[in-house]
Structure formats: structure tokens, C-alpha cells
Amino acid sequence: MYESKKQNGITLIALIITIIILLILAGVTINVLIGENGLFNTAQKAGEEYTKSQLKEELEIEIANIQSKKIANGEEISREDLWELEKIGAIMISVGKPAEGEYKDYNFTVDENYVVTIGEKSNIIKPEIQLNKNTEEIVEEVTIKVKVTTEDGTIVSITKPDGTTTTETEFEYKVRENKTYRFVAIGSNGAKSVASIEITNVKEIVANPIIQSNYGYPMLKDTGIEIDGITTILYDTKEGLKNYYSVDDGIEWKLYTGPFKMAGSGRILAKSMRNGVILSESSKNIDIPSDALGIEAYDGDETTFGEKINSGSKKINVDSSMWNKKIRIYGYHASHFEDNRTYIYAYNVEDEMVRQIVGKWFF
């Protein structure tokens, strides 16, 4: 008699089927995680886009800051102003339309409307530029110590702030002016690095303004009296100086843009400034000729005729706009005059007397 036995466990076929199912599930899971459109790649792309948006925002905020400073000075932003982006670590390649540069390892452009577009990340190894100054004290000359290194190839050129180039990777650069100095290094792999250092501790020497004027006799015109003369001020030509003048003893200061006329005699003040600090100044008294008729004679008030003329003569030029027009001249006489009269003489441009008027009141 045979005895049957019950079999426990799984069969080989079932095991194979299970393994196949697990492999399919694993494949699907791996594709979801690391496939072209998988979770890992999607997260990486999202992170990349977030980084780009952050860099775009940082650059455009800095451009807006530059624009605000220009507007505050009554100026408009220009393409050349984009070099200032290097102050926040950008590497400017050009400032044309569009401007091109690199910021935190990403390429970027700035279009004609100053809108920033962030490009792809650059993985090329760039030269490293180290800049240090020799002192923090206020001195007439500061030495910038420059050191350039690279981990990929060699340094093929270094451009100094004055435009000259060198292949020396360690050198000193001496400056005598407060401003930002820019150095550019290019490696044999074509990579470019830019580094800037701002120097603020140079004892700046600025020449005092020279005030020149050629004031002559006042001019009588149909619009009133005009002081006939021009004032020119020669300022130091150092870059970045703001030059001002005042004709009212410093109550109001005007930016000097060229020669100007004064409304009357008086004192002219001139000064050169940088960052709100006066670096040089001068003054000059502007007077009409001593024998010119004083300003008080033209104000319409007979009691303020100016000084009495006991001897000599007083002069005024007459503009062509007054030809064939009547003017009222108030004259006076003194008893010690030999003929007890006042004399008015008129001369032409050749200094020839063309008319003589004698009397007390003239119309």
C-alpha cells in the first residue's frame, strides 16, 4: 500500500515569475528616479533654474542700484557703467549690445534694455587673482601686490589697469589716485578671470581752481544793464572730480559746465570735490573798471546814483539795441565847476567823439 506525502513551499516556476515581476518593478522604479524625466533629474533641473533666477535677480538689482546713482547725479546709465558689476564678483567680457560676462560660474548677457539673461554653467578652471595693498595708512602712493595662479595649464597674460600686459605671475603695481583698479588674467586653457581692488587711502593732491575773467564796462541794453564780461575757471582734470562755483558767497553752488557771465560785480568761489569732500578751493573778486559808472546808477532810484564825481569821468558802453532810442540821464553840477555844467560825451567804436551834451537834465 502506498502512502502519499503533501508537498510544502513554492515551485521553481513560481519563483521565476516572482523574480521577473520584481525586476520589472525595479526597472520602473529606477526609471522614475533617475531616468531622463525622473525625479532626480527633475529636481536637479528645478534647482538649476532656481539658481539662475537668483543670479538674474542679483545682477538686475545691482544694475538698478547703478542706475539710481546715475539718476541722483542727473545722468543716465550707459553701457560703460556695466563694468561696475565686477564689484559684486561678475567677470565682464564686453559691455556692448548685448554685454557679456560670467557670474558665479554662469555665463550671462545684458541686452540694450538692461535685462539680464543667465546662460549655462561654465565648468572650466579659471585663474585665481590675489590682490593686496601694502598699507592702510593715508599716503601719497599705494602699492598693490598681485599674485596669479592656476590649476590648469599656465598663465598666458595679465592685463594691468593701465592697459599694459605681463606674463609675470607676481608683481607690484603702484598707484597715486583713489579709485577701483582692475586686473584681468587669461590661462592657457582660455579661461579668463577678473579681480578688482578699490583704493581709498591715497592722499589726493588736487590743484586749486584758477579763476579767470575779462570784465569791462557795463553794457546798456534795451533789456537793462548787463555786466560785460566772461568768467572761466580752470579746474584739475583728475577723473571723477566734481567742480562747482558760487557767485553769492557760497549760498548756492552750481556745477561748472563752462564759461559764464555774472549779473554784477562781486566774489566768485570755486571748489573741487570727490565723494562730498572738498579737495581744493579758491576765490576771486570780480570788479568792473574803476572808472565805470556804478551799478547803483541803473536801478531807477535817483537817490542811489552812486558816488559823486568830483573829477575825472565815468563810462558805460551802449549796445546797438539802444540806437535811436531815448534815455533819461540825471546829471548834477557843483559850484566849483568852472562853467557850472555837466558834460555828457558819446563815442563810437573807434573811440571818436560823435556827440557832446551840456546841461543839468537830459531827455
Side-chain angles (χ1 to χ4, degrees), residues 257-276:
T257 57
F260 60 91
K261 289 187 175 183
M262 283 187 64
S265 59
R267 190 163 71 118
I268 296 178
L269 306 178
K271 63 182 180 182
S272 294
M273 302 181 67
R274 190 193 302 279
N275 299 325

Side-chain angles (χ1 to χ4, degrees), residues 151-359:
E151 296 180 357
D152 184 10
T154 59
I155 302 299
V156 296
S157 74
I158 301 169
T159 303
K160 303 176 184 179
D162 59 6
T164 60
T165 61
T166 182
T167 56
E168 295 182 24
T169 55
E170 287 191 55
F171 59 91
E172 294 183 346
Y173 189 80
K174 300 182 183 298
V175 300
R176 301 176 67 89
E177 186 176 352
N178 289 320
K179 65 178 185 178
T180 300
Y181 293 88
R182 179 177 184 265
F183 296 82
V184 181
I186 299 177
S188 56
N189 60 355
K192 175 182 178 181
S193 289
V194 178
S196 300
I197 183 171
E198 186 175 7
I199 301 299
T200 59
N201 59 315
V202 172
K203 182 180 180 181
E204 191 165 12
I205 300 175
V206 177
N208 288 329
I210 300 174
I211 304 173
Q212 300 177 336
S213 61
N214 63 344
Y215 283 80
Y217 295 100
M219 177 75 71
L220 178 63
K221 308 180 74 169
D222 59 1
T223 54
I225 301 300
E226 180 179 292
I227 302 300
D228 187 25
I230 295 290
T231 295
T232 301
I233 307 178
L234 305 179
Y235 292 92
D236 196 305
T237 57
K238 285 187 176 66
E239 182 181 351
L241 290 177
K242 295 289 186 180
N243 300 315
Y244 300 91
Y245 73 94
S246 173
V247 295
D248 54 10
D249 270 340
I251 297 175
E252 180 184 4
W253 287 93
K254 298 179 181 180
L255 186 66
Y256 183 78
T257 57
F260 60 91
K261 289 187 175 183
M262 283 187 64
S265 59
R267 190 163 71 118
I268 296 178
L269 306 178
K271 63 182 180 182
S272 294
M273 302 181 67
R274 190 193 302 279
N275 299 325
V277 178
I278 299 175
L279 301 176
S280 65
E281 55 188 338
S282 62
S283 65
K284 183 176 182 178
N285 290 324
I286 302 298
D287 294 312
I288 59 179
S290 59
D291 61 344
L293 202 59
I295 293 297
E296 299 87 350
Y298 316 126
D299 62 6
D301 184 350
E302 293 178 355
T303 66
T304 59
F305 52 80
E307 61 185 295
K308 293 183 178 180
I309 307 171
N310 294 322
S311 63
S313 61
K314 292 293 181 178
K315 302 176 182 178
I316 182 175
N317 289 331
V318 179
D319 185 72
S320 59
S321 64
M322 294 300 297
W323 293 355
N324 299 318
K325 294 184 179 180
K326 293 182 179 180
I327 58 174
R328 179 175 184 269
I329 302 175
Y330 176 49
Y332 64 94
H333 60 273
S335 59
H336 68 270
F337 283 0
E338 183 176 335
D339 54 6
N340 203 28
R341 292 180 178 181
T342 299
Y343 293 84
I344 306 296
Y345 301 99
Y347 294 84
N348 60 20
V349 292
E350 283 77 27
D351 206 28
E352 299 171 341
M353 189 175 70
V354 294
R355 191 174 183 187
Q356 175 179 338
I357 308 173
V358 182

Side-chain angles (χ1 to χ4, degrees), residues 4 28 60 70 82 95 115 119 123 160 183 185 217 253 262-263:
S4 63
V28 171
E60 290 187 342
K70 300 291 285 189
L82 293 177
V95 291
V115 176
N123 296 316
K160 303 176 184 179
F183 296 82
Y217 295 100
W253 287 93
M262 283 187 64

